[in-house]
Amino acid sequence: MKVIKRHYPYHIDTTTILQAAMKKYETFSVEDFVMDDHFRDWVQGNINNETFWLAFMHQHPEKTDTIRQAERIIRAMNINPTPVSEQEVRAEVNQFMQQLQTLETSQPVRPMRRSWWWAAAAMVIMVGLGAAVFGLMRRPAEIVASKKPQPTKPAATAALAETVNSTSKTLKLVLSDGSTVHLGPSSALRYAPHFGSESRQVYLTGEAIFEVVHTSAPFLVYAGDVVTKVLGTSFVVRAYETDKKVTVQVRTGKVSVYREAESRKAGPRQHSGNSLNGFVLLPNQAAIYDKAIQQFTKTLVAKPVVIRPAEFVYDDTPLAEVLQQLQQAYGIHLQYDADAFTTCRITATFNDESLFEKLDLICKMVGGTYEIVDGQIVLNVRGC
């Protein structure tokens, strides 16, 4: 008898297999996922079910949209139990109902889906009321004890969803525009459940990797005093409250970085990195903002990555051609005086060396040096 082995990209333990078999998640609707404790715990990061749910979505790709809709509803229900008055509760409920009516008018809901939509709305309201009552009953000492990472305060008062990663692993979020956020440990993110057409704004405390989908609406990340603006790219922001500096590192694309105070002076619709006290970052470049002196430094990431694959094999190759290829491969501008080493030629083969290791070896061959200045590399070669 021939035995056929099936290989899956994720490991699934016996417990999660039994849970899936008992609940038959492949038949779940959006409201079923929202009501399921096992699914809610995973979305909120309370238990480590990442392996099971990734494997489930791999085996049932047709349920991906359903799962993402349920995720957004659950994250929108993540309300902090802070003390509020009954008047404030009623005001929040009225505001929420008005938002639902506005959304339903602009995006009509089909009759078959109306029941679960309003069921989800009612659930959010009930959770909000319960959290408010619980907040009124809590003692001040208990409130002080429930500390967790708090994201930057948004300038607007519109209702935002909040995700707090209190685990030791990275938490993956998919925003309403399809952009992906890998939220680091001890980090928090606030964001609109549905982005508007003019801008997409999120508020970060901690560290996150952003993979932003390109649209006509700018994507703005507020972290500490720093604003990062992009249209579509991949970058990393680190802004823990205990850190003395805020860093932004670009992987692909282009971003503009500037102080939040400068963006307020320029006005809400003038988020241009060129007109503010900031600058534009390209791939493999980084910005470091010193909180104490409120100033930026433009530099390079610690380990630049190849953005345009190339073979680094040189056989009596002019040094100018070698440097030009490195510049194109890493997307980093190399500044040098080509006339100073017209006779310099290189014979070498590079494999897994980093960019800086390659430059170290080249400088040893030709008796030169290099330094990083304003996000560029300046080479000094006296001649061969």
Side-chain angles (χ1 to χ4, degrees):
M1 180 178 66
K2 185 177 180 180
V3 178
I4 300 176
K5 295 183 178 180
R6 296 184 180 273
H7 298 276
Y8 296 96
Y10 310 102
H11 171 72
I12 309 175
D13 57 36
T14 305
T15 302
T16 53
I17 290 177
L18 291 175
Q19 290 173 336
M22 294 174 60
K23 294 195 175 183
K24 295 183 178 179
Y25 286 114
E26 64 272 13
T27 65
F28 269 35
S29 62
V30 173
E31 57 268 35
D32 292 331
F33 280 113
V34 171
M35 297 295 293
D36 184 73
D37 293 336
H38 189 260
F39 180 77
R40 286 203 309 272
D41 285 339
W42 169 66
V43 172
Q44 296 171 346
N46 296 331
I47 56 178
N48 185 18
N49 284 339
E50 184 75 10
T51 301
F52 168 70
W53 286 107
L54 288 177
F56 176 79
M57 286 188 287
H58 176 78
Q59 297 173 28
H60 301 280
E62 74 281 358
K63 303 300 293 184
T64 300
D65 290 341
T66 302
I67 288 176
R68 294 310 182 199
Q69 291 181 40
E71 271 191 274
R72 292 166 188 154
I73 293 175
I74 292 172
R75 296 192 193 287
M77 293 165 52
N78 189 6
I79 302 173
N80 290 330
T82 53
V84 292
S85 66
E86 182 179 355
Q87 182 178 2
E88 291 174 317
V89 173
R90 293 184 180 277
E92 288 295 326
V93 172
N94 290 335
Q95 180 182 1
F96 185 80
M97 293 301 295
Q98 291 173 2
Q99 291 174 350
L100 284 180
Q101 293 173 357
T102 302
L103 184 60
E104 188 180 40
T105 302
S106 59
Q107 300 179 357
V109 181
R110 289 182 292 178
M112 292 182 63
R113 294 191 176 183
R114 188 178 300 275
S115 59
W116 77 260
W117 175 264
W118 285 103
M123 186 182 301
V124 174
I125 295 173
M126 291 175 65
V127 172
L129 291 172
V133 173
F134 182 67
L136 290 170
M137 296 176 63
R138 294 177 71 191
R139 297 191 302 272
E142 292 176 328
I143 297 172
V144 173
S146 62
K147 294 182 178 179
K148 62 181 180 179
Q150 294 296 326
T152 305
K153 297 290 185 181
T157 58
L160 298 176
E162 178 187 20
T163 297
V164 178
N165 185 5
S166 56
T167 71
S168 60
K169 297 182 179 180
T170 300
L171 178 64
K172 180 181 178 180
L173 308 176
V174 179
L175 305 181
S176 63
D177 64 340
S179 298
T180 302
V181 182
H182 300 271
L183 190 62
S186 302
S187 302
L189 188 75
R190 282 186 181 174
Y191 49 94
H194 298 279
F195 289 126
S197 59
E198 293 188 358
S199 68
R200 300 168 288 171
Q201 301 181 13
V202 299
Y203 304 86
L204 170 71
T205 290
E207 185 172 12
I209 300 173
F210 294 87
E211 297 174 358
V212 178
V213 173
H214 188 282
T215 71
S216 59
F219 191 100
L220 302 171
V221 180
Y222 292 82
D225 294 332
V226 176
V227 182
T228 304
K229 174 193 172 185
V230 301
L231 289 177
T233 186
S234 174
F235 59 99
V236 182
V237 178
R238 180 184 173 94
Y240 287 100
E241 291 183 345
T242 55
D243 289 350
K244 296 181 180 179
K245 299 178 180 180
V246 176
T247 61
V248 179
Q249 303 179 57
V250 179
R251 293 185 169 186
T252 62
K254 179 173 65 176
V255 310
S256 57
V257 182
Y258 45 89
R259 290 181 56 207
E260 183 178 4
E262 296 294 334
S263 69
R264 287 197 297 267
K265 292 178 184 178
R269 295 193 178 185
Q270 300 180 23
H271 295 289
S272 171
N274 295 326
S275 62
L276 302 173
N277 185 19
F279 40 76
V280 173
L281 297 178
L282 300 175
N284 287 322
Q285 290 185 335
I288 301 176
Y289 177 74
D290 192 312
K291 297 179 182 178
I293 61 177
Q294 298 183 348
Q295 287 186 359
F296 282 104
T297 300
K298 189 175 182 180
T299 184
L300 297 178
V301 300
K303 296 182 179 181
V305 297
V306 175
I307 61 175
R308 183 178 296 177
E311 292 186 3
F312 304 104
V313 179
Y314 310 109
D315 183 11
D316 197 32
T317 305
L319 180 56
E321 292 184 17
V322 175
L323 297 179
Q324 185 177 7
Q325 186 190 42
L326 291 177
Q327 178 173 274
Q328 294 174 348
Y330 289 92
I332 297 174
H333 181 66
L334 301 178
Q335 184 175 335
Y336 53 87
D337 183 4
D339 295 335
F341 48 81
T342 53
T343 60
C344 294
R345 306 181 80 86
I346 298 295
T347 297
T349 299
F350 297 121
N351 296 310
D352 298 329
E353 295 87 355
S354 68
L355 171 62
F356 298 125
E357 290 172 338
K358 292 183 179 72
L359 290 174
D360 288 336
L361 292 172
I362 290 174
C363 286
K364 287 181 180 180
M365 294 178 190
V366 299
T369 60
Y370 71 90
E371 58 182 336
I372 300 172
V373 180
D374 194 28
Q376 304 178 38
I377 297 177
V378 180
L379 287 97
N380 299 302
V381 179
R382 297 179 180 179
C384 300

